[in-house]
Structures are given as C-alpha cells and as structure tokens.
Amino acid sequence: GAVVSQHPSWVICKSGTSVKIECRSLDFQATTMFWYRQFPKQSLMLMATSNEGSKATYEQGVEKDKFLINHASLTLSTLTVTSAHPEDSSFYICSATLGQGGETQYFGPGTRLLVL
Amino acid sequence: GNSVTQMEGPVTLSEEAFLTINCTYTATGYPSLFWYVQYPGEGLQLLLKATKADDKGSNKGFEATYRKETTSFHLEKGSVQVSDSAVYFCALSDLRSYGKLTFGQGTILTVHP
C-alpha cells in the first residue's frame, strides 16, 4: 500500500517551454503532498507543500510563478515548470502523506527533466 | 531550526561486512526519525522509522535506535549485500513543521562482491 506515482518519468524540452509533472497517490487519499528537487549527488531540497484545495506553501527562495503547483484532488498534485531554462534541469520528486504533522511521507519515483 | 547530519561518504564495503552510518540531529521538539534509501535512478523508499525515544526501527536486516540522550539515529546492518548499494538518507519531521522532512546530506554506500 501507499504507492505514489509520477508522470512522466523523464522529459526533455526546449528552453522557454512549460512542462507539467503529475504526482498521484494510487491507493490512498493524500492530505498533503510535497515537491522536492534533487541535484546530482545531493540531498533533496523541499520546494513546496501542497494541500488539497488550497494554495501551495513555497519554501524560501523558490519562485512560485515559475513552479506552479496545483492540488486539485486528494490523489493528484501537479507541478508545472513554466518557461523552463537549462538551469531548471533536475530530478523532481513528489511525496504524499496520509495526514498532517509527523506522518510518514511516501515518495514517487521521480521525474528527470532536461531542458535544452 | 531542525537539522540532520550524516557521516560523510562514500562508504565502500565488501559483501557480508558490518555497516554503520551515523546520523545525529538537532530539533527543538520531539521529532520522528526516518531512514530512506534511494537506489540509482529511483525515488526514495522508506527503510525504517522510529517515532519516540528508545524505539528501534528495523527492516530488511537494517536497524536504528532513537537515542534522545545522544540525539542520534545510527543505521546498522550486520551483513551487507551487493544489492544494498544505494544512497541512504537520514531525516526527521516534527509536528511543528507539519510533516515537512529535514534530510541529511545522504551517504553513498557501495558494496563489492
């Protein structure tokens, strides 16, 4: 149980285009979803916290107009990288929790984005 | 604020060797502690967790004990396998951070046959 999927698993796009990444909880309803970014051989950096039906809370230094997050249902959150540039190339990982506060996070397999 | 410090890697071991990866933390509340594992090209998988002092988390031969007095959560395995080669992340969350995880920097483990 507690499976989280991401789609696509990898994407290559041209500079200036927008890319949407989906995160789905397959067998549970996720009250909260998190979006992370991971650079090669580094730890995960939390980008934002997403609660169903409300605006995402972004971490300091993360541009909310560039990384649009929508949490339309209890099983789906999307991250849209707008006007992508090569420096946005990274591994994006989402996670989901069953409840709020101190609950275990279940991670998706990640989406590798390469912007040319 | 909260922070997690892991021993620096990479760690290279022979198969069947004993593994310890040190993890210490700083938190103002009473955090839950986690070890996650990331295999090459994949997302993170929960390996084990402990939610209060003196709890021992265990899974797949790995163990870690929540030590409040030393603020530590060291990961151990008695006999590693080649398939254990991965990156291991220590992490904490507490109620005041609404489930946000604070990660250590990760430790790369390579096990040779």
Side-chain angles (χ1 to χ4, degrees), chain A residues 51-87:
Chain A
N51 290 296
E52 184 264 340
S54 61
K55 289 184 178 180
T57 302
Y58 290 81
E59 295 299 300
Q60 194 171 8
V62 178
E63 298 176 62
K64 60 181 179 181
D65 294 330
K66 179 162 187 65
F67 298 100
L68 300 178
I69 292 172
N70 185 287
H71 195 155
S73 74
L74 285 171
T75 60
L76 174 65
S77 177
T78 59
L79 167 68
T80 301
V81 183
T82 62
S83 187
H85 291 285
E87 57 266 29

PDB file of all heavy atoms in Angstrom, chain A residues 51-87:
ATOM      1  N   ASN A  51      -1.487  21.385  -0.174  1.00  0.00           N
ATOM      2  CA  ASN A  51      -2.658  20.804   0.468  1.00  0.00           C
ATOM      3  C   ASN A  51      -3.851  20.885  -0.470  1.00  0.00           C
ATOM      4  O   ASN A  51      -4.049  21.913  -1.126  1.00  0.00           O
ATOM      5  CB  ASN A  51      -2.971  21.545   1.767  1.00  0.00           C
ATOM      6  CG  ASN A  51      -1.941  21.268   2.832  1.00  0.00           C
ATOM      7  OD1 ASN A  51      -1.779  20.150   3.291  1.00  0.00           O
ATOM      8  ND2 ASN A  51      -1.209  22.299   3.211  1.00  0.00           N
ATOM      9  N   GLU A  52      -4.616  19.836  -0.509  1.00  0.00           N
ATOM     10  CA  GLU A  52      -5.745  19.766  -1.432  1.00  0.00           C
ATOM     11  C   GLU A  52      -6.693  20.924  -1.230  1.00  0.00           C
ATOM     12  O   GLU A  52      -7.094  21.219  -0.091  1.00  0.00           O
ATOM     13  CB  GLU A  52      -6.484  18.432  -1.249  1.00  0.00           C
ATOM     14  CG  GLU A  52      -7.614  18.214  -2.230  1.00  0.00           C
ATOM     15  CD  GLU A  52      -8.963  18.605  -1.670  1.00  0.00           C
ATOM     16  OE1 GLU A  52      -9.103  18.693  -0.440  1.00  0.00           O
ATOM     17  OE2 GLU A  52      -9.888  18.828  -2.478  1.00  0.00           O
ATOM     18  N   GLY A  53      -7.014  21.616  -2.318  1.00  0.00           N
ATOM     19  CA  GLY A  53      -7.981  22.694  -2.280  1.00  0.00           C
ATOM     20  C   GLY A  53      -7.469  24.029  -1.791  1.00  0.00           C
ATOM     21  O   GLY A  53      -8.242  24.988  -1.691  1.00  0.00           O
ATOM     22  N   SER A  54      -6.183  24.116  -1.502  1.00  0.00           N
ATOM     23  CA  SER A  54      -5.647  25.399  -1.063  1.00  0.00           C
ATOM     24  C   SER A  54      -4.340  25.702  -1.790  1.00  0.00           C
ATOM     25  O   SER A  54      -3.779  24.835  -2.463  1.00  0.00           O
ATOM     26  CB  SER A  54      -5.430  25.421   0.446  1.00  0.00           C
ATOM     27  OG  SER A  54      -4.496  24.430   0.812  1.00  0.00           O
ATOM     28  N   LYS A  55      -3.895  26.939  -1.641  1.00  0.00           N
ATOM     29  CA  LYS A  55      -2.665  27.337  -2.321  1.00  0.00           C
ATOM     30  C   LYS A  55      -1.457  26.645  -1.693  1.00  0.00           C
ATOM     31  O   LYS A  55      -1.408  26.418  -0.482  1.00  0.00           O
ATOM     32  CB  LYS A  55      -2.472  28.847  -2.227  1.00  0.00           C
ATOM     33  CG  LYS A  55      -3.461  29.644  -3.072  1.00  0.00           C
ATOM     34  CD  LYS A  55      -3.137  31.124  -2.985  1.00  0.00           C
ATOM     35  CE  LYS A  55      -4.082  31.936  -3.855  1.00  0.00           C
ATOM     36  NZ  LYS A  55      -3.789  33.396  -3.796  1.00  0.00           N
ATOM     37  N   ALA A  56      -0.487  26.366  -2.535  1.00  0.00           N
ATOM     38  CA  ALA A  56       0.732  25.734  -2.044  1.00  0.00           C
ATOM     39  C   ALA A  56       1.550  26.718  -1.216  1.00  0.00           C
ATOM     40  O   ALA A  56       1.491  27.930  -1.427  1.00  0.00           O
ATOM     41  CB  ALA A  56       1.555  25.229  -3.225  1.00  0.00           C
ATOM     42  N   THR A  57       2.296  26.165  -0.281  1.00  0.00           N
ATOM     43  CA  THR A  57       3.217  26.967   0.525  1.00  0.00           C
ATOM     44  C   THR A  57       4.629  26.717   0.017  1.00  0.00           C
ATOM     45  O   THR A  57       5.116  25.582   0.071  1.00  0.00           O
ATOM     46  CB  THR A  57       3.126  26.574   2.004  1.00  0.00           C
ATOM     47  OG1 THR A  57       1.784  26.753   2.448  1.00  0.00           O
ATOM     48  CG2 THR A  57       4.064  27.437   2.836  1.00  0.00           C
ATOM     49  N   TYR A  58       5.272  27.777  -0.455  1.00  0.00           N
ATOM     50  CA  TYR A  58       6.588  27.633  -1.068  1.00  0.00           C
ATOM     51  C   TYR A  58       7.683  27.909  -0.053  1.00  0.00           C
ATOM     52  O   TYR A  58       7.550  28.764   0.823  1.00  0.00           O
ATOM     53  CB  TYR A  58       6.728  28.599  -2.253  1.00  0.00           C
ATOM     54  CG  TYR A  58       5.874  28.215  -3.437  1.00  0.00           C
ATOM     55  CD1 TYR A  58       4.515  28.535  -3.484  1.00  0.00           C
ATOM     56  CD2 TYR A  58       6.419  27.522  -4.504  1.00  0.00           C
ATOM     57  CE1 TYR A  58       3.727  28.171  -4.564  1.00  0.00           C
ATOM     58  CE2 TYR A  58       5.645  27.151  -5.604  1.00  0.00           C
ATOM     59  CZ  TYR A  58       4.302  27.481  -5.616  1.00  0.00           C
ATOM     60  OH  TYR A  58       3.535  27.105  -6.691  1.00  0.00           O
ATOM     61  N   GLU A  59       8.778  27.202  -0.202  1.00  0.00           N
ATOM     62  CA  GLU A  59       9.951  27.436   0.635  1.00  0.00           C
ATOM     63  C   GLU A  59      10.666  28.711   0.156  1.00  0.00           C
ATOM     64  O   GLU A  59      10.506  29.141  -0.994  1.00  0.00           O
ATOM     65  CB  GLU A  59      10.898  26.247   0.570  1.00  0.00           C
ATOM     66  CG  GLU A  59      10.304  24.989   1.158  1.00  0.00           C
ATOM     67  CD  GLU A  59       9.945  25.129   2.629  1.00  0.00           C
ATOM     68  OE1 GLU A  59      10.857  25.405   3.448  1.00  0.00           O
ATOM     69  OE2 GLU A  59       8.754  24.965   2.980  1.00  0.00           O
ATOM     70  N   GLN A  60      11.406  29.263   1.086  1.00  0.00           N
ATOM     71  CA  GLN A  60      12.127  30.490   0.775  1.00  0.00           C
ATOM     72  C   GLN A  60      13.061  30.276  -0.408  1.00  0.00           C
ATOM     73  O   GLN A  60      13.788  29.291  -0.457  1.00  0.00           O
ATOM     74  CB  GLN A  60      12.932  30.918   2.001  1.00  0.00           C
ATOM     75  CG  GLN A  60      13.459  32.341   1.935  1.00  0.00           C
ATOM     76  CD  GLN A  60      14.056  32.781   3.255  1.00  0.00           C
ATOM     77  OE1 GLN A  60      14.216  31.982   4.175  1.00  0.00           O
ATOM     78  NE2 GLN A  60      14.400  34.042   3.366  1.00  0.00           N
ATOM     79  N   GLY A  61      13.019  31.208  -1.349  1.00  0.00           N
ATOM     80  CA  GLY A  61      13.906  31.132  -2.497  1.00  0.00           C
ATOM     81  C   GLY A  61      13.317  30.411  -3.690  1.00  0.00           C
ATOM     82  O   GLY A  61      13.930  30.395  -4.759  1.00  0.00           O
ATOM     83  N   VAL A  62      12.157  29.815  -3.536  1.00  0.00           N
ATOM     84  CA  VAL A  62      11.511  29.115  -4.650  1.00  0.00           C
ATOM     85  C   VAL A  62      10.497  30.041  -5.288  1.00  0.00           C
ATOM     86  O   VAL A  62       9.610  30.567  -4.609  1.00  0.00           O
ATOM     87  CB  VAL A  62      10.817  27.828  -4.164  1.00  0.00           C
ATOM     88  CG1 VAL A  62      10.101  27.141  -5.331  1.00  0.00           C
ATOM     89  CG2 VAL A  62      11.822  26.895  -3.517  1.00  0.00           C
ATOM     90  N   GLU A  63      10.623  30.244  -6.597  1.00  0.00           N
ATOM     91  CA  GLU A  63       9.737  31.179  -7.291  1.00  0.00           C
ATOM     92  C   GLU A  63       8.387  30.534  -7.566  1.00  0.00           C
ATOM     93  O   GLU A  63       8.285  29.611  -8.391  1.00  0.00           O
ATOM     94  CB  GLU A  63      10.370  31.584  -8.626  1.00  0.00           C
ATOM     95  CG  GLU A  63      11.696  32.300  -8.518  1.00  0.00           C
ATOM     96  CD  GLU A  63      12.274  32.575  -9.886  1.00  0.00           C
ATOM     97  OE1 GLU A  63      11.631  33.299 -10.661  1.00  0.00           O
ATOM     98  OE2 GLU A  63      13.366  32.041 -10.198  1.00  0.00           O
ATOM     99  N   LYS A  64       7.346  31.043  -6.936  1.00  0.00           N
ATOM    100  CA  LYS A  64       6.034  30.428  -7.102  1.00  0.00           C
ATOM    101  C   LYS A  64       5.449  30.661  -8.484  1.00  0.00           C
ATOM    102  O   LYS A  64       4.617  29.882  -8.943  1.00  0.00           O
ATOM    103  CB  LYS A  64       5.065  30.927  -6.029  1.00  0.00           C
ATOM    104  CG  LYS A  64       4.826  32.414  -6.040  1.00  0.00           C
ATOM    105  CD  LYS A  64       3.874  32.788  -4.904  1.00  0.00           C
ATOM    106  CE  LYS A  64       3.622  34.281  -4.876  1.00  0.00           C
ATOM    107  NZ  LYS A  64       2.706  34.671  -3.761  1.00  0.00           N
ATOM    108  N   ASP A  65       5.857  31.727  -9.169  1.00  0.00           N
ATOM    109  CA  ASP A  65       5.351  31.967 -10.517  1.00  0.00           C
ATOM    110  C   ASP A  65       6.048  31.094 -11.543  1.00  0.00           C
ATOM    111  O   ASP A  65       5.564  30.931 -12.658  1.00  0.00           O
ATOM    112  CB  ASP A  65       5.527  33.432 -10.897  1.00  0.00           C
ATOM    113  CG  ASP A  65       4.667  34.340 -10.048  1.00  0.00           C
ATOM    114  OD1 ASP A  65       3.585  33.884  -9.607  1.00  0.00           O
ATOM    115  OD2 ASP A  65       5.076  35.488  -9.800  1.00  0.00           O
ATOM    116  N   LYS A  66       7.196  30.560 -11.170  1.00  0.00           N
ATOM    117  CA  LYS A  66       7.913  29.693 -12.083  1.00  0.00           C
ATOM    118  C   LYS A  66       7.532  28.233 -11.871  1.00  0.00           C
ATOM    119  O   LYS A  66       7.441  27.471 -12.811  1.00  0.00           O
ATOM    120  CB  LYS A  66       9.412  29.856 -11.881  1.00  0.00           C
ATOM    121  CG  LYS A  66      10.223  28.953 -12.806  1.00  0.00           C
ATOM    122  CD  LYS A  66      11.636  29.419 -12.919  1.00  0.00           C
ATOM    123  CE  LYS A  66      12.360  28.615 -13.982  1.00  0.00           C
ATOM    124  NZ  LYS A  66      11.804  28.845 -15.337  1.00  0.00           N
ATOM    125  N   PHE A  67       7.324  27.870 -10.645  1.00  0.00           N
ATOM    126  CA  PHE A  67       6.964  26.491 -10.309  1.00  0.00           C
ATOM    127  C   PHE A  67       5.518  26.494  -9.789  1.00  0.00           C
ATOM    128  O   PHE A  67       5.275  26.656  -8.598  1.00  0.00           O
ATOM    129  CB  PHE A  67       7.918  25.932  -9.269  1.00  0.00           C
ATOM    130  CG  PHE A  67       9.350  25.868  -9.723  1.00  0.00           C
ATOM    131  CD1 PHE A  67      10.263  26.839  -9.337  1.00  0.00           C
ATOM    132  CD2 PHE A  67       9.778  24.839 -10.546  1.00  0.00           C
ATOM    133  CE1 PHE A  67      11.592  26.785  -9.769  1.00  0.00           C
ATOM    134  CE2 PHE A  67      11.098  24.770 -10.976  1.00  0.00           C
ATOM    135  CZ  PHE A  67      12.009  25.740 -10.595  1.00  0.00           C
ATOM    136  N   LEU A  68       4.596  26.307 -10.712  1.00  0.00           N
ATOM    137  CA  LEU A  68       3.179  26.361 -10.368  1.00  0.00           C
ATOM    138  C   LEU A  68       2.715  25.004  -9.844  1.00  0.00           C
ATOM    139  O   LEU A  68       2.920  23.985 -10.495  1.00  0.00           O
ATOM    140  CB  LEU A  68       2.352  26.747 -11.602  1.00  0.00           C
ATOM    141  CG  LEU A  68       2.667  28.112 -12.232  1.00  0.00           C
ATOM    142  CD1 LEU A  68       1.806  28.331 -13.458  1.00  0.00           C
ATOM    143  CD2 LEU A  68       2.464  29.228 -11.224  1.00  0.00           C
ATOM    144  N   ILE A  69       2.077  25.015  -8.696  1.00  0.00           N
ATOM    145  CA  ILE A  69       1.611  23.774  -8.092  1.00  0.00           C
ATOM    146  C   ILE A  69       0.104  23.834  -7.938  1.00  0.00           C
ATOM    147  O   ILE A  69      -0.449  24.806  -7.423  1.00  0.00           O
ATOM    148  CB  ILE A  69       2.291  23.545  -6.732  1.00  0.00           C
ATOM    149  CG1 ILE A  69       3.774  23.256  -6.955  1.00  0.00           C
ATOM    150  CG2 ILE A  69       1.629  22.381  -5.984  1.00  0.00           C
ATOM    151  CD1 ILE A  69       4.579  23.197  -5.691  1.00  0.00           C
ATOM    152  N   ASN A  70      -0.544  22.766  -8.381  1.00  0.00           N
ATOM    153  CA  ASN A  70      -1.989  22.637  -8.257  1.00  0.00           C
ATOM    154  C   ASN A  70      -2.311  21.320  -7.595  1.00  0.00           C
ATOM    155  O   ASN A  70      -1.807  20.273  -7.995  1.00  0.00           O
ATOM    156  CB  ASN A  70      -2.629  22.700  -9.651  1.00  0.00           C
ATOM    157  CG  ASN A  70      -4.146  22.683  -9.580  1.00  0.00           C
ATOM    158  OD1 ASN A  70      -4.751  21.661  -9.299  1.00  0.00           O
ATOM    159  ND2 ASN A  70      -4.742  23.820  -9.802  1.00  0.00           N
ATOM    160  N   HIS A  71      -3.135  21.361  -6.572  1.00  0.00           N
ATOM    161  CA  HIS A  71      -3.509  20.132  -5.856  1.00  0.00           C
ATOM    162  C   HIS A  71      -5.025  20.029  -5.942  1.00  0.00           C
ATOM    163  O   HIS A  71      -5.732  20.364  -5.002  1.00  0.00           O
ATOM    164  CB  HIS A  71      -3.030  20.234  -4.406  1.00  0.00           C
ATOM    165  CG  HIS A  71      -3.038  18.945  -3.673  1.00  0.00           C
ATOM    166  ND1 HIS A  71      -2.217  18.702  -2.586  1.00  0.00           N
ATOM    167  CD2 HIS A  71      -3.752  17.809  -3.824  1.00  0.00           C
ATOM    168  CE1 HIS A  71      -2.427  17.493  -2.119  1.00  0.00           C
ATOM    169  NE2 HIS A  71      -3.353  16.941  -2.855  1.00  0.00           N
ATOM    170  N   ALA A  72      -5.491  19.561  -7.082  1.00  0.00           N
ATOM    171  CA  ALA A  72      -6.921  19.637  -7.406  1.00  0.00           C
ATOM    172  C   ALA A  72      -7.754  18.594  -6.685  1.00  0.00           C
ATOM    173  O   ALA A  72      -8.949  18.779  -6.494  1.00  0.00           O
ATOM    174  CB  ALA A  72      -7.100  19.490  -8.914  1.00  0.00           C
ATOM    175  N   SER A  73      -7.149  17.478  -6.309  1.00  0.00           N
ATOM    176  CA  SER A  73      -7.910  16.432  -5.639  1.00  0.00           C
ATOM    177  C   SER A  73      -7.018  15.768  -4.600  1.00  0.00           C
ATOM    178  O   SER A  73      -5.822  16.061  -4.513  1.00  0.00           O
ATOM    179  CB  SER A  73      -8.404  15.386  -6.641  1.00  0.00           C
ATOM    180  OG  SER A  73      -7.332  14.565  -7.061  1.00  0.00           O
ATOM    181  N   LEU A  74      -7.597  14.866  -3.839  1.00  0.00           N
ATOM    182  CA  LEU A  74      -6.844  14.183  -2.783  1.00  0.00           C
ATOM    183  C   LEU A  74      -5.890  13.125  -3.322  1.00  0.00           C
ATOM    184  O   LEU A  74      -5.170  12.489  -2.552  1.00  0.00           O
ATOM    185  CB  LEU A  74      -7.798  13.551  -1.772  1.00  0.00           C
ATOM    186  CG  LEU A  74      -8.467  14.525  -0.809  1.00  0.00           C
ATOM    187  CD1 LEU A  74      -9.548  13.825   0.002  1.00  0.00           C
ATOM    188  CD2 LEU A  74      -7.436  15.144   0.138  1.00  0.00           C
ATOM    189  N   THR A  75      -5.888  12.944  -4.626  1.00  0.00           N
ATOM    190  CA  THR A  75      -4.991  11.943  -5.208  1.00  0.00           C
ATOM    191  C   THR A  75      -4.091  12.509  -6.292  1.00  0.00           C
ATOM    192  O   THR A  75      -3.300  11.771  -6.892  1.00  0.00           O
ATOM    193  CB  THR A  75      -5.782  10.764  -5.808  1.00  0.00           C
ATOM    194  OG1 THR A  75      -6.655  11.268  -6.827  1.00  0.00           O
ATOM    195  CG2 THR A  75      -6.593  10.046  -4.738  1.00  0.00           C
ATOM    196  N   LEU A  76      -4.164  13.805  -6.556  1.00  0.00           N
ATOM    197  CA  LEU A  76      -3.389  14.368  -7.656  1.00  0.00           C
ATOM    198  C   LEU A  76      -2.864  15.752  -7.329  1.00  0.00           C
ATOM    199  O   LEU A  76      -3.611  16.639  -6.906  1.00  0.00           O
ATOM    200  CB  LEU A  76      -4.245  14.442  -8.927  1.00  0.00           C
ATOM    201  CG  LEU A  76      -3.615  15.152 -10.133  1.00  0.00           C
ATOM    202  CD1 LEU A  76      -2.400  14.385 -10.630  1.00  0.00           C
ATOM    203  CD2 LEU A  76      -4.639  15.320 -11.254  1.00  0.00           C
ATOM    204  N   SER A  77      -1.561  15.915  -7.527  1.00  0.00           N
ATOM    205  CA  SER A  77      -0.932  17.231  -7.484  1.00  0.00           C
ATOM    206  C   SER A  77      -0.080  17.374  -8.729  1.00  0.00           C
ATOM    207  O   SER A  77       0.518  16.394  -9.197  1.00  0.00           O
ATOM    208  CB  SER A  77      -0.067  17.377  -6.233  1.00  0.00           C
ATOM    209  OG  SER A  77       0.608  18.624  -6.220  1.00  0.00           O
ATOM    210  N   THR A  78      -0.028  18.580  -9.271  1.00  0.00           N
ATOM    211  CA  THR A  78       0.794  18.805 -10.458  1.00  0.00           C
ATOM    212  C   THR A  78       1.776  19.938 -10.216  1.00  0.00           C
ATOM    213  O   THR A  78       1.469  20.907  -9.510  1.00  0.00           O
ATOM    214  CB  THR A  78      -0.057  19.138 -11.694  1.00  0.00           C
ATOM    215  OG1 THR A  78      -0.820  20.319 -11.429  1.00  0.00           O
ATOM    216  CG2 THR A  78      -0.989  17.999 -12.047  1.00  0.00           C
ATOM    217  N   LEU A  79       2.946  19.785 -10.781  1.00  0.00           N
ATOM    218  CA  LEU A  79       3.980  20.816 -10.765  1.00  0.00           C
ATOM    219  C   LEU A  79       4.236  21.219 -12.201  1.00  0.00           C
ATOM    220  O   LEU A  79       4.554  20.359 -13.037  1.00  0.00           O
ATOM    221  CB  LEU A  79       5.259  20.276 -10.136  1.00  0.00           C
ATOM    222  CG  LEU A  79       6.522  21.128 -10.311  1.00  0.00           C
ATOM    223  CD1 LEU A  79       6.406  22.439  -9.527  1.00  0.00           C
ATOM    224  CD2 LEU A  79       7.773  20.359  -9.854  1.00  0.00           C
ATOM    225  N   THR A  80       4.066  22.501 -12.503  1.00  0.00           N
ATOM    226  CA  THR A  80       4.349  22.994 -13.845  1.00  0.00           C
ATOM    227  C   THR A  80       5.564  23.916 -13.783  1.00  0.00           C
ATOM    228  O   THR A  80       5.541  24.918 -13.057  1.00  0.00           O
ATOM    229  CB  THR A  80       3.144  23.750 -14.431  1.00  0.00           C
ATOM    230  OG1 THR A  80       2.011  22.874 -14.470  1.00  0.00           O
ATOM    231  CG2 THR A  80       3.448  24.238 -15.839  1.00  0.00           C
ATOM    232  N   VAL A  81       6.575  23.547 -14.524  1.00  0.00           N
ATOM    233  CA  VAL A  81       7.761  24.393 -14.639  1.00  0.00           C
ATOM    234  C   VAL A  81       7.521  25.298 -15.845  1.00  0.00           C
ATOM    235  O   VAL A  81       7.476  24.830 -16.988  1.00  0.00           O
ATOM    236  CB  VAL A  81       9.032  23.557 -14.837  1.00  0.00           C
ATOM    237  CG1 VAL A  81      10.262  24.457 -14.885  1.00  0.00           C
ATOM    238  CG2 VAL A  81       9.170  22.516 -13.734  1.00  0.00           C
ATOM    239  N   THR A  82       7.316  26.576 -15.581  1.00  0.00           N
ATOM    240  CA  THR A  82       6.973  27.492 -16.667  1.00  0.00           C
ATOM    241  C   THR A  82       8.238  28.114 -17.259  1.00  0.00           C
ATOM    242  O   THR A  82       9.215  28.364 -16.557  1.00  0.00           O
ATOM    243  CB  THR A  82       6.056  28.612 -16.161  1.00  0.00           C
ATOM    244  OG1 THR A  82       6.755  29.358 -15.154  1.00  0.00           O
ATOM    245  CG2 THR A  82       4.782  28.042 -15.560  1.00  0.00           C
ATOM    246  N   SER A  83       8.194  28.319 -18.566  1.00  0.00           N
ATOM    247  CA  SER A  83       9.321  28.929 -19.270  1.00  0.00           C
ATOM    248  C   SER A  83      10.641  28.319 -18.792  1.00  0.00           C
ATOM    249  O   SER A  83      11.515  29.011 -18.254  1.00  0.00           O
ATOM    250  CB  SER A  83       9.334  30.443 -19.056  1.00  0.00           C
ATOM    251  OG  SER A  83      10.328  31.050 -19.859  1.00  0.00           O
ATOM    252  N   ALA A  84      10.742  27.032 -18.996  1.00  0.00           N
ATOM    253  CA  ALA A  84      11.894  26.290 -18.468  1.00  0.00           C
ATOM    254  C   ALA A  84      13.203  26.741 -19.115  1.00  0.00           C
ATOM    255  O   ALA A  84      13.240  27.083 -20.302  1.00  0.00           O
ATOM    256  CB  ALA A  84      11.681  24.797 -18.699  1.00  0.00           C
ATOM    257  N   HIS A  85      14.254  26.730 -18.316  1.00  0.00           N
ATOM    258  CA  HIS A  85      15.592  27.056 -18.782  1.00  0.00           C
ATOM    259  C   HIS A  85      16.542  25.930 -18.389  1.00  0.00           C
ATOM    260  O   HIS A  85      16.216  25.124 -17.490  1.00  0.00           O
ATOM    261  CB  HIS A  85      16.044  28.388 -18.196  1.00  0.00           C
ATOM    262  CG  HIS A  85      15.300  29.553 -18.731  1.00  0.00           C
ATOM    263  ND1 HIS A  85      15.514  30.065 -19.992  1.00  0.00           N
ATOM    264  CD2 HIS A  85      14.302  30.300 -18.194  1.00  0.00           C
ATOM    265  CE1 HIS A  85      14.698  31.077 -20.210  1.00  0.00           C
ATOM    266  NE2 HIS A  85      13.949  31.240 -19.137  1.00  0.00           N
ATOM    267  N   PRO A  86      17.707  25.868 -19.000  1.00  0.00           N
ATOM    268  CA  PRO A  86      18.627  24.769 -18.691  1.00  0.00           C
ATOM    269  C   PRO A  86      18.932  24.608 -17.205  1.00  0.00           C
ATOM    270  O   PRO A  86      19.120  23.487 -16.732  1.00  0.00           O
ATOM    271  CB  PRO A  86      19.881  25.148 -19.492  1.00  0.00           C
ATOM    272  CG  PRO A  86      19.353  25.883 -20.680  1.00  0.00           C
ATOM    273  CD  PRO A  86      18.173  26.670 -20.154  1.00  0.00           C
ATOM    274  N   GLU A  87      18.947  25.707 -16.467  1.00  0.00           N
ATOM    275  CA  GLU A  87      19.234  25.597 -15.028  1.00  0.00           C
ATOM    276  C   GLU A  87      18.096  24.941 -14.243  1.00  0.00           C
ATOM    277  O   GLU A  87      18.274  24.616 -13.055  1.00  0.00           O
ATOM    278  CB  GLU A  87      19.548  26.978 -14.421  1.00  0.00           C
ATOM    279  CG  GLU A  87      18.469  28.011 -14.595  1.00  0.00           C
ATOM    280  CD  GLU A  87      18.661  28.878 -15.818  1.00  0.00           C
ATOM    281  OE1 GLU A  87      19.257  28.411 -16.817  1.00  0.00           O
ATOM    282  OE2 GLU A  87      18.214  30.041 -15.788  1.00  0.00           O
TER     283      GLU A  87
END
